[in-house]
Amino acid sequence: MSLLDIAGIAVSPDHYIAGQRVASAERFALHSPIDQRPLGHISEGLAEHVEAAIVAAQHAFPAWSALTAAERKPYLDRFADEIGKRADAFCLLESNDAGVLLSRMRHGVVPRAMLNIRWFAEHALTLQDRPIETEQATHLVRHDPAGVVVVITPWNAPLMLSTWKLGPALAAGNCCILKPPEWAPLTCSLLADAAHAAGLTPGVFNVVQGTGANTGARLVSDARIARVSFTGSVPTAKWIAQAAGANLVPCSLELGGKSPFIVLPDADLEQAAATGALMYRNAGQVCLAGTRFLVHAQVAEAFIAAMRAHVEKLNVGDPREEATEVGPIIHPRQLERVAGFVERAVAAGARVLWGGARHAFGAQYYQPTMLADVAQGSEIVQNEVFGPVLTLQTFASDDEAVLLANGTDYGLGGVCYGETAHATEVAQRVRTGFIWVNSFGIRDLAAPFGGIKRSGIGREGGDWSFEFFCDVKDVVVPKKPFRASFSHR
């Protein structure tokens, strides 16, 4: 078996199917976003690999699904343990492969990945046979595993989002096929090593690498798939929904964001500005970031000065260095997309408050940027950039702030700073799947996560994840002898 050497970490470039590594005759090149150096060639998932993965998952499903949640839990706990044993490797791989900050991986992502597996394994214990008592009967509500599920994750957070979906899918008793992002597949490959070492039955967890147009398309259009969970772009989601819909396969779609960051006149401007600078983390490649700054006109000048001071202190550089706060854009194609948004906005009259150009550190780096004098209907305000580019608009009243906040086709998240009661009242009027008041990034696995409008369909987290990955069934047990009669329904 051939292995890649990435910063001293050995990782397979091949698929993981039925407990074994499987190579492909066709491969695609992988480069690091840090300095464009070649990382190796990755096996492309062809029709035979998709078929083998589906068959393997189908074969493993009867035994895995027959286990109780309590019986599956030790496997998943060991899976989390094996992720922890490889913590340094996961950190180095994703930093080299996707440009994610090494410090963020070490202190946030890897611990969260372990928790994703453990928490859902534990929560699954609470789901079975929940009784609903009525006068006539006891309703035993069951969450039965759906079958073979496909998980497709994006390149901005491969490890975290893979485990976020795999945790409930596996804990529910499904067998999974993970399709990693082609621009950053390596931590998903290492995840297969962790699952193998944990003793997951062959076929319970499979990894098939490849492009969305080739491998992904074959997976989501197969009638044997029971569920598709996807995080990514709106255009891709539309295609997935259409392909899966032909077989009436349910989809969970967590998509893009164009979230508002509202600064009310009674906000703590220093705290709001410090939080605002966080929107540049992962080079702005974060779907839930507040990218549209809506600032009350009375405090706009002071807020801009405060945030500028924070942005000027940001350390742009190599994500493998502990002090780095802003790393590279994932791919040359994405960099061109980001730069194009800014160039067109400036040509249309936008004013650059800071940034606005490529960064001198490296070929795939872009300056943290803020654009003002942008129209509500403009491309830069309405469409997701997915880079370190923010916009700033002012408002004169709460009603105007809410109108601007709700004035896009997206509705994923949001941030609202102000006196707590005031900010909470405004936040409740913003049409999003979630919104943070005087904070950012607070998450709990028991809480729902997802968007409205073009930001997605469905919710992930807590019971919501299991309701998607399970067939919910009501077992009705009468409390009195039942007498059949055509006069009663």
Side-chain angles (χ1 to χ4, degrees):
M1 178 178 67
S2 63
L3 295 173
L4 303 179
D5 183 339
I6 310 296
I9 306 300
V11 60
S12 175
D14 298 326
H15 313 300
Y16 178 75
I17 301 171
Q20 298 183 359
R21 289 293 179 174
V22 178
S24 173
E26 293 189 22
R27 294 176 175 256
F28 57 92
L30 187 66
H31 295 82
S32 174
I34 301 171
D35 50 16
Q36 298 76 58
R37 71 188 184 284
L39 297 178
H41 288 80
I42 308 300
S43 284
E44 171 78 20
L46 305 178
E48 60 262 34
H49 305 116
V50 170
E51 176 67 19
I54 294 174
V55 170
Q58 284 184 310
H59 181 75
F61 179 70
W64 181 249
S65 62
L67 297 177
T68 65
E71 290 169 331
R72 286 190 289 268
K73 186 176 183 298
Y75 289 94
L76 298 178
D77 286 342
R78 288 196 298 271
F79 189 10
D81 290 341
E82 293 296 334
I83 293 173
K85 291 177 184 178
R86 294 162 175 77
D88 288 343
F90 277 114
C91 292
L92 286 168
L93 278 180
E94 196 151 300
S95 188
N96 280 275
D97 189 22
V100 178
L101 299 181
L102 189 64
S103 59
R104 176 67 180 157
M105 290 296 299
R106 181 175 292 120
H107 302 298
V109 174
V110 172
R112 168 66 187 276
M114 298 170 65
L115 181 62
N116 285 341
I117 303 297
R118 289 192 198 282
W119 191 92
F120 284 108
E122 180 71 24
H123 193 66
L125 301 177
T126 70
L127 294 178
Q128 291 297 48
D129 298 334
R130 291 181 173 181
I132 299 175
E133 300 292 347
T134 68
E135 182 180 347
Q136 291 182 306
T138 297
H139 298 256
L140 299 176
V141 180
R142 293 181 52 84
H143 289 73
D144 293 334
V148 178
V149 305
V150 169
V151 169
I152 303 176
T153 54
W155 43 259
N156 63 318
L159 176 62
M160 199 286 284
L161 289 176
S162 292
T163 53
W164 166 241
K165 298 171 185 291
L166 291 171
L170 292 170
N174 300 294
C175 293
C176 300
I177 302 171
L178 172 63
K179 208 294 282 182
E182 57 263 36
W183 286 354
L186 295 182
T187 45
C188 292
S189 181
L190 191 63
L191 200 59
D193 290 345
H196 189 86
L200 264 66
T201 305
V204 168
F205 174 50
N206 308 273
V207 178
V208 182
Q209 301 163 144
T211 62
N214 186 13
T215 310
R218 288 191 172 100
L219 283 168
V220 302
S221 61
D222 196 289
R224 292 167 292 181
I225 300 303
R227 298 287 190 276
V228 175
S229 181
F230 170 76
T231 298
S233 71
V234 172
T236 302
K238 288 181 177 180
W239 191 94
I240 288 173
Q242 184 177 24
N247 298 311
L248 295 180
V249 174
C251 295
S252 175
L253 306 172
E254 197 270 284
L255 310 178
K258 197 66 182 175
S259 300
F261 191 118
I262 303 170
V263 181
L264 299 170
D266 50 10
D268 181 328
L269 297 185
E270 174 58 27
Q271 287 300 314
T275 303
L278 294 179
M279 302 307 108
Y280 292 119
R281 73 181 186 184
N282 207 30
Q285 299 166 126
V286 179
C287 62
L288 50 76
T291 57
R292 292 184 297 128
F293 279 69
L294 308 176
V295 184
H296 195 282
Q298 291 178 356
V299 298
E301 185 175 344
F303 174 79
I304 290 169
M307 187 165 168
R308 185 194 303 273
H310 283 281
V311 173
E312 287 176 348
K313 296 175 184 177
L314 290 175
N315 186 2
V316 179
D318 191 323
R320 297 166 296 186
E321 299 294 332
E322 188 73 23
T324 298
E325 295 167 303
V326 180
I329 301 293
I330 181 72
H331 192 274
R333 204 156 72 217
Q334 182 64 16
L335 177 67
E336 290 300 324
R337 184 176 186 274
V338 171
F341 266 105
V342 175
E343 290 164 6
R344 292 189 297 274
V346 171
R351 177 166 53 98
V352 179
L353 295 179
W354 54 78
R358 297 166 195 257
H359 199 281
F361 184 85
Q364 281 177 221
Y365 287 75
Y366 200 86
Q367 296 175 359
T369 296
M370 177 72 87
L371 302 178
D373 298 340
V374 290
Q376 178 68 9
S378 64
E379 176 195 50
I380 195 71
V381 170
Q382 292 295 321
N383 295 333
E384 185 177 45
V385 178
F386 221 60
V389 177
L390 312 174
T391 61
L392 187 141
Q393 299 165 273
T394 60
F395 62 88
S397 67
D398 289 356
D399 287 345
E400 186 181 6
V402 172
L403 184 67
L404 292 172
N406 293 337
T408 76
D409 290 334
Y410 290 95
L412 183 56
V415 179
C416 189
Y417 265 84
E419 185 276 325
T420 300
H422 183 196
T424 301
E425 189 276 328
V426 171
Q428 290 172 338
R429 297 171 61 192
V430 178
R431 296 195 62 227
T432 57
F434 57 89
I435 186 165
W436 288 290
V437 173
N438 295 333
S439 59
F440 176 73
I442 297 174
R443 297 278 300 279
D444 191 282
L445 295 184
F449 179 85
I452 64 172
K453 299 189 283 187
R454 292 179 68 197
S455 288
I457 297 173
R459 292 294 180 269
E460 297 178 88
D463 287 358
W464 293 271
S465 286
F466 286 99
E467 287 175 5
F468 173 72
F469 283 118
C470 294
D471 292 322
V472 180
K473 179 169 62 181
D474 180 15
V475 179
V476 184
V477 182
K479 292 181 176 178
K480 299 177 181 179
F482 178 75
R483 298 291 182 262
S485 172
F486 281 111
S487 62
H488 295 88
R489 296 293 182 188

